[in-house]
Amino acid sequence: MRKILILALSLFVVTAFSGCSASSSNESDGKNGSDKITIRFAWWGGQPRHDYTTKVIEMYEKENPNVNIEPEFANWDDYWKKLAPQAAANQLPDVIQMDMAYLSQYGEKGQLEDLTPYLENGTIDTANIPENNISGGKIDDSLYGLPAGVNVLSVISNDRLLKEAGIEFDSQTWTWDDYEKTALLLQEKLGIYGSNGMHPPDVFFPYYLRTQGERFYKEDGTGLAYEDDQLFIDYFERQLRLIEADASPTPDEQAQIKGMEDDFIVKGATGFTWNYSNQYLAFSQLTDDSLTINFPPAQEQESALFLKPSMLFSIPKSSKVKEEAAKFIDYFVNNVEANKLIKGERGVPVSTEVSEAIKPELSESETKIVEYVEAAAQHASQADPPDPIGSAEVIKALKDVSDQILFKQIKPAEGAEKFREQANEILGRNK
């Protein structure tokens, strides 16, 4: 008996210092000493997300007494720093909250399970989930992540500031020129920023390309899809004009924003802010001003808007409890009571039945988000494929070049050439 206790203690110490849970390191069948099935569930987010996710886990465990769910959560940066060594050690959590920027990296390297069989056998019920809400997690014919919710790009406006400036606009039809003129007018009339600027560039430059009928990445991920660098130049020259007119913040002013509570729209320092639709809720809660969620400019051109998975749920190939992990994912996306706690914080629910069922539980701001996404879905086009392998490097290159342009260290034309060279060198490795 004493030897068993010593062995158990040794295993505990090794596990604790390796950063891995006992369920993955010494219990290959996913069961603990009480014959419970253990599911490791990892996610990133802030404290409100941690709080309600813990409650959802408790609900699931109560309804499934044979299941024990071990939470592993962190902020965005720490989350990915932790996930990489777990992947290298073949010890990824059983359910991974996944981002589109990393789906290809993990999926195409053979680290993620194809979820298609779990949809086909009904373990994950998709009867009320439109195909358009599922396809964002596919690479070729394999579903490496089931979207937890969907978002749409938006421009959030401060109603009080627009009224004071005497500005009215129709977000259904406004153009890029309308957007620039409105931003300049806000600065002229009120001495504030017209817009927070389109940050980060890896989100909003691809949207700009869609309004021009172009795409950012080639479908096979081997290079940039757009061929005319004038599109890059036009995008950044517009930003420079707004910065020079004090209608948008400089990059160093933007860098001082450490959290949503410091955002220009919350402080009443800008008329518009570019964000995803789910961020409207936090902004509306952080200010006494009335805010409106609007379509971005030129969204009617080329049906530029698209439904983007806010995040996805993936199961690693290394998991020993794939079936139970799939059941938990099904619960997260399809259980109405669980989603009454989630309230669309991870994006508007992918299930139309769940989305409709939780509406009576939503605040006015939460309802506006759901209605906005539903309106956008009526004329949104298909989302781009998941970002290719190497996209993280491409995004860094774009941000670096963007900073150099906006700090006036290089001209947009030079930046366009520099970025293309760097991006195609990175993506060329996929050939």
Side-chain angles (χ1 to χ4, degrees), residues 343-410:
K343 290 187 174 181
E345 191 275 335
R346 277 179 163 92
V348 173
V350 290
S351 165
T352 54
E353 180 181 58
V354 169
S355 180
E356 194 64 31
I358 68 170
K359 281 183 179 179
E361 308 292 325
L362 302 181
S363 67
E364 181 181 355
S365 294
E366 291 164 340
T367 301
K368 285 182 179 180
I369 295 172
V370 174
E371 291 175 345
Y372 174 80
V373 172
E374 289 176 344
Q378 299 301 314
H379 47 87
S381 59
Q382 185 174 357
D384 296 333
D387 294 346
I389 294 174
S391 62
E393 292 179 75
V394 174
I395 289 170
K396 183 181 184 304
L398 179 58
K399 288 180 177 177
D400 290 345
V401 170
S402 172
D403 284 345
Q404 292 171 41
I405 293 172
L406 299 182
F407 275 117
K408 299 183 180 180
Q409 296 169 347
I410 60 176

Side-chain angles (χ1 to χ4, degrees), residues 319-336:
S319 173
K320 305 299 182 182
V321 289
K322 296 184 180 71
E323 187 78 20
E324 289 298 329
K327 290 178 182 178
F328 179 64
I329 291 174
D330 174 73
Y331 184 86
F332 217 97
V333 299
N334 283 314
N335 186 275
V336 171

Side-chain angles (χ1 to χ4, degrees), residues 56 74 106 136 189 209 278 411:
V56 172
Y106 284 88
K189 295 279 189 179
L209 290 175
N278 67 321
K411 298 288 187 182

Side-chain angles (χ1 to χ4, degrees), residues 102-319:
Y102 291 89
L103 189 66
S104 292
Q105 176 180 323
Y106 284 88
E108 293 188 4
K109 288 184 177 180
Q111 293 174 314
L112 300 181
E113 186 78 1
D114 180 7
L115 301 181
T116 305
Y118 300 102
L119 273 60
E120 292 176 345
N121 67 19
T123 304
I124 299 176
D125 182 8
T126 57
N128 296 299
I129 303 179
E131 175 59 30
N132 208 23
N133 288 0
I134 297 173
S135 60
K138 287 184 176 180
I139 299 177
D140 297 327
D141 294 326
S142 296
L143 182 68
Y144 289 126
L146 183 75
V150 291
N151 281 335
V152 181
L153 287 177
S154 70
V155 174
I156 299 169
S157 61
N158 183 307
D159 300 340
R160 175 180 62 84
L161 295 176
L162 264 63
K163 184 176 181 180
E164 287 180 9
I167 294 173
E168 295 182 1
F169 72 102
D170 181 359
S171 79
Q172 183 77 36
T173 59
W174 67 330
T175 65
W176 285 107
D177 287 343
D178 292 333
Y179 158 72
E180 183 174 353
K181 290 175 183 176
T182 302
L184 291 170
L185 191 57
L186 278 161
Q187 203 290 323
E188 177 187 335
K189 295 279 189 179
L190 304 180
I192 62 170
Y193 296 129
S195 167
N196 69 328
M198 290 173 278
H199 303 288
D202 58 287
V203 173
F204 300 111
F205 178 53
Y207 169 73
Y208 175 78
L209 290 175
R210 289 177 68 96
T211 66
Q212 308 303 308
E214 298 286 348
R215 294 294 184 269
F216 190 55
Y217 293 117
K218 289 182 178 179
E219 285 193 15
D220 62 3
T222 60
L224 296 175
Y226 70 97
E227 296 182 355
D228 185 0
D229 277 344
Q230 190 61 46
L231 295 170
F232 184 102
I233 294 167
D234 291 345
Y235 175 83
F236 281 100
E237 284 185 342
R238 189 185 303 276
Q239 297 224 52
L240 283 171
R241 289 195 296 271
L242 292 175
I243 290 173
E244 290 168 357
D246 292 326
S248 280
T250 60
D252 52 347
E253 290 170 329
Q254 187 74 36
Q256 294 174 22
I257 305 301
K258 301 302 181 184
M260 298 182 80
E261 64 278 2
D262 297 324
D263 196 276
F264 298 110
I265 197 79
V266 171
K267 299 296 185 181
T270 184
F272 295 108
T273 185
W274 289 74
N275 282 283
Y276 276 106
S277 53
N278 67 321
Q279 293 175 296
Y280 173 80
L281 177 61
F283 285 134
S284 66
Q285 292 174 334
L286 289 167
T287 179
D288 292 331
D289 284 339
S290 173
L291 305 179
T292 295
I293 183 168
N294 308 284
F295 293 124
Q299 56 86 27
E300 283 193 327
Q301 295 176 224
E302 308 290 340
S303 298
L305 279 179
F306 59 96
L307 302 181
K308 178 185 183 296
S310 51
M311 56 201 69
L312 311 100
F313 290 133
S314 298
I315 298 174
K317 282 189 176 293
S318 58
S319 173

